[in-house]
């Protein structure tokens, strides 16, 4: 379960100076991920993971839109 206040806090810290309405819109989009999107795991993402640079301490997750 996602905590909206926690998401807003993280977004505000990460994007300092962002207007509150943009932070709220981003939080709305993140909260709606469970409804529209499903996480892709395993072999489907292995090729993509090799091409995305990222620091070692960060997690990389892939999502795709659910079929209607």
């Amino acid at each position: 379960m996602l905590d909206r206040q926690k998401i807003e806090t993280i977004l505000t810290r990460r994007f300092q100076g962002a207007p509150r309405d943009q932070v709220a819109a981003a939080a709305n989009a993140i909260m709606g991920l469970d409804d529209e999107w499903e996480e892709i795991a395993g072999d489907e993402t292995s090729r993509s993971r090799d091409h995305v640079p990222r620091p070692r301490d960060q997690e990389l997750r892939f999502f795709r839109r659910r079929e209607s």
Side-chain angles (χ1 to χ4, degrees):
M1 182 92 183
L2 297 173
D3 179 351
R4 184 184 175 81
Q5 288 180 327
K6 185 174 182 179
I7 292 170
E8 287 182 355
T9 300
I10 293 168
L11 291 171
T12 300
R13 288 180 185 163
R14 176 66 176 93
F15 302 103
Q16 295 177 2
R20 289 186 58 79
D21 62 326
Q22 287 183 357
V23 171
N28 286 342
I30 292 168
M31 293 295 293
L33 282 176
D34 286 341
D35 299 335
E36 291 183 55
W37 299 86
E38 63 186 353
E39 187 169 0
I40 304 170
D43 294 336
E44 294 181 78
T45 64
S46 60
R47 205 171 68 213
S48 298
R49 288 179 189 277
D50 294 339
H51 299 288
V52 178
R54 67 186 190 282
R56 287 181 152 178
D57 61 341
Q58 291 187 356
E59 181 180 8
L60 182 62
R61 296 167 64 182
F62 291 85
F63 292 84
R64 69 176 160 218
R65 187 179 295 265
R66 292 181 195 266
E67 294 184 25
S68 303

